[in-house]
């Protein structure tokens, strides 16, 4: 198998999809790894590290796509990359198809095999390739929220932890999954007043057991969300429906009941966002204001901490990359259930039900 590692092209994306150790493991098994020159620089990984591990360096993304049978990326291919993708080629990356009909149509028209990190379920049913980046994004959300609550950033001028005699910030976390739990834990460490909302009572009981005393767990419904929005200085959107578009839990009219200068961090924006007024932003221009509420909606948050994120992601993806390279896409999808779950599009057919339902497309069932 020829495995390709192109440089990421999304704005301020500093991650790379493979470490030198991954190259070494693949080449030891007889595979060829083609890496675009400079792909690892944003994560502090240099071309000579990849050469020493056995990679072949090429100058452009086109060189990578032209040669490789299996393309390993971090983020979805952007529009300039679409013409480089050929029929039967396999791409393994974060796709988040439900947020983009154009991307979905482009991959269908290309006849590519699209395996999505975010829908791979391991033998225990966990979204094991989404988890590391969810951990990063959850922890970053509080870090960014603290910054944008500062007055020079158009926030309320609130210190998360307060000081003796002055109340701390109130932080509302919508969703108690990996992102939400990590956000709540970091916010609690800042000594903020934290509420985490979810609809899964078993999850809430678990969070109640493990969270510090300054984190309250609440059942999520419209009334509770409204009450929290009135109180919140910082709202963190951490909702996930695997493979599907995120539901809008905060509607446009809800912003009017929020405090002027309060901040929304919508981590779910790469799945469409759980706040109606969200739209994807970049690290260069991360925020915008609607009804005096600051919105931070960067769709590749972990890209800003490229080195941490690259190592966390590659630690999780490498075993699956090795399996794909060893078996080939067709056999891997047929024989390995987690990879079958990762298959969103195969050769012009939609094989993920949530994506098919989102865009009213025909669905091909791989699961019997």
């Amino acid at each position: 198998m020829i495995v390709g590692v192109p440089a990421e092209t999304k704005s301020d994306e500093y991650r790379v999809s493979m470490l030198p150790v991954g190259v070494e493991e693949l080449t030891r098994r007889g595979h060829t790894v083609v890496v675009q020159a400079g792909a690892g620089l944003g994560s502090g990984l240099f071309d000579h590290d990849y050469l020493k591990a056995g990679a072949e360096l090429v100058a452009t993304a086109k060189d990578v796509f032209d040669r490789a049978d299996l393309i390993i990326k971090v983020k979805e291919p952007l529009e300039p990359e679409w013409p480089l993708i050929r029929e039967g080629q396999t791409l393994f990356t974060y796709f988040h198809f439900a947020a983009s009909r154009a991307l979905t149509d482009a991959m269908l028209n290309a006849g590519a095999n699209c395996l999505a990190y975010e829908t791979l379920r391991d033998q225990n049913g966990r979204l094991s390739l989404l988890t590391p980046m969810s951990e990063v994004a959850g922890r970053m959300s509080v870090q960014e929220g603290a910054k944008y609550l500062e007055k020079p950033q158009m926030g309320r001028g609130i210190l998360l932890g307060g000081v003796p005699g002055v109340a701390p910030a109130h932080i509302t976390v919508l969703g108690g999954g990996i992102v939400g739990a990590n956000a709540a834990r970091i916010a609690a460490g800042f000594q903020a007043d934290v509420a985490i909302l979810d609809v899964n009572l078993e999850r809430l009981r678990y969070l109640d057991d493990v969270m510090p005393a300054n984190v309250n767990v609440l059942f999520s419904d419209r009334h509770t969300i409204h009450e929290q929005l009135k109180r919140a200085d910082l709202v963190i959107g951490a909702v996930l429906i695997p493979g599907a578009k995120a539901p809008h839990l905060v509607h446009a009219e809800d912003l009017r009941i929020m405090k002027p200068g309060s901040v929304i961090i919508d981590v779910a924006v790469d799945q469409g966002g759980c706040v109606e007024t969200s739209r994807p932003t970049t690290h260069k221009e991360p925020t915008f204001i609607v009804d005096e509420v600051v919105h931070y909606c960067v769709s590749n948050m972990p890209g800003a901490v490229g080195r941490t994120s690259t190592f966390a992601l590659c630690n999780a993806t490498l075993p699956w990359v090795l399996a794909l390279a060893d078996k080939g896409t067709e056999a891997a999808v047929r024989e390995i259930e987690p990879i079958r779950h990762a298959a969103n599009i195969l050769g012009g057919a939609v094989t993920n039900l949530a994506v098919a339902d989102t865009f009213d497309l025909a669905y091909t069932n791989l699961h019997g």
Side-chain angles (χ1 to χ4, degrees), residues 3 11 82 141 162 191 289 297-298 319 337:
V3 180
S11 175
W82 296 350
S141 67
Q191 301 183 354
I289 297 174
C297 304
V298 176
E337 187 176 3

Side-chain angles (χ1 to χ4, degrees), residues 310-335:
T310 287
F311 278 80
L313 177 62
C314 294
N315 289 342
T317 57
L318 181 58
W320 306 108
V321 173
L322 294 175
L324 277 167
D326 288 345
K327 287 183 172 291
T329 301
E330 186 177 339
V333 169
R334 184 176 63 248
E335 298 172 17

Side-chain angles (χ1 to χ4, degrees), residues 1 69-70 88-91 113-115 323-335 339 343 345-346:
M1 181 78 75
D69 311 301
L70 171 62
Q89 195 168 47
T90 297
L91 288 83
N113 301 315
C114 300
L115 309 182
L324 277 167
D326 288 345
K327 287 183 172 291
T329 301
E330 186 177 339
V333 169
R334 184 176 63 248
E335 298 172 17
I339 292 179
I345 292 174
L346 291 178

Side-chain angles (χ1 to χ4, degrees), residues 32-357:
T32 298
V33 183
V34 181
V35 177
Q36 184 178 349
L41 291 177
S43 297
L45 299 167
F46 301 99
D47 289 346
H48 64 79
D49 296 322
Y50 288 97
L51 287 170
K52 187 177 177 182
E56 296 181 22
L57 284 187
V58 295
T60 67
K62 184 178 186 302
D63 295 330
V64 175
F65 279 87
D66 282 350
R67 288 193 58 193
D69 311 301
L70 171 62
I71 298 288
I72 310 297
K73 280 180 51 60
V74 177
K75 292 299 289 181
E76 73 281 354
L78 300 184
E79 191 168 349
E81 296 172 293
W82 296 350
L84 304 180
I85 299 166
R86 65 179 187 270
E87 186 174 356
Q89 195 168 47
T90 297
L91 288 83
F92 193 29
T93 187
Y94 289 114
F95 277 104
H96 300 293
F97 279 119
S100 174
R101 177 64 187 259
L103 174 64
T104 305
D105 287 343
M107 295 303 101
L108 287 170
N109 292 336
N113 301 315
C114 300
L115 309 182
Y117 293 159
E118 70 270 14
T119 61
L120 186 146
R121 287 189 180 274
D122 65 18
Q123 293 85 346
N124 298 310
R126 296 174 300 204
L127 300 168
S128 57
L129 303 190
L130 195 60
T131 297
M133 294 304 95
S134 296
E135 291 167 339
V136 172
R139 294 174 185 217
M140 271 192 73
S141 67
V142 179
Q143 184 174 300
E144 297 302 313
K147 179 166 67 179
Y148 288 101
L149 274 171
E150 296 172 2
K151 197 64 180 175
Q153 309 296 334
M154 304 303 292
R156 294 195 70 221
I158 297 284
L159 184 66
L160 288 188
V163 293
V166 181
H170 182 78
I171 300 177
T172 297
V173 182
L174 301 175
I178 302 296
V179 172
N182 276 272
R185 192 173 289 114
I186 297 301
F190 273 94
Q191 301 183 354
D193 177 33
V194 185
I196 186 166
L197 281 64
D198 204 282
V199 294
N200 185 326
L201 287 172
E202 286 304 310
R203 182 66 177 173
L204 289 176
R205 291 187 180 101
Y206 166 76
L207 292 170
D208 190 52
D209 283 342
V210 301
M211 285 292 166
N214 55 329
V215 177
N216 295 302
V217 300
L218 301 171
F219 186 80
S220 181
D221 58 35
R222 279 296 291 161
H223 287 186
T224 306
I225 291 171
H226 263 231
E227 287 304 312
Q228 285 297 311
L229 292 178
K230 291 175 186 175
R231 295 184 59 195
D233 299 297
L234 172 61
V235 175
I236 296 172
V239 177
L240 173 71
I241 300 175
K245 197 172 187 299
H248 287 157
L249 300 186
V250 179
H251 299 282
E253 62 269 19
D254 297 338
L255 301 186
R256 298 174 198 141
I257 65 174
M258 296 180 67
K259 301 170 184 174
S262 56
V263 175
I264 292 173
I265 308 285
D266 195 348
V267 181
V269 72
D270 54 7
Q271 286 288 111
C274 64
V275 177
E276 187 178 5
T277 46
S278 290
R279 54 177 169 81
T281 61
T282 67
H283 288 291
K284 280 191 173 67
E285 296 182 6
T287 62
F288 59 93
I289 297 174
V290 179
D291 289 340
E292 298 184 277
V293 175
V294 178
H295 291 57
Y296 176 99
C297 304
V298 176
S299 57
N300 62 326
M301 286 177 64
V305 287
R307 189 168 176 86
T308 297
S309 297
T310 287
F311 278 80
L313 177 62
C314 294
N315 289 342
T317 57
L318 181 58
W320 306 108
V321 173
L322 294 175
L324 277 167
D326 288 345
K327 287 183 172 291
T329 301
E330 186 177 339
V333 169
R334 184 176 63 248
E335 298 172 17
I336 304 173
E337 187 176 3
I339 292 179
R340 193 157 58 246
H341 282 293
N344 279 212
I345 292 174
L346 291 178
V350 178
T351 53
N352 179 278
L353 182 59
V355 174
D357 286 347

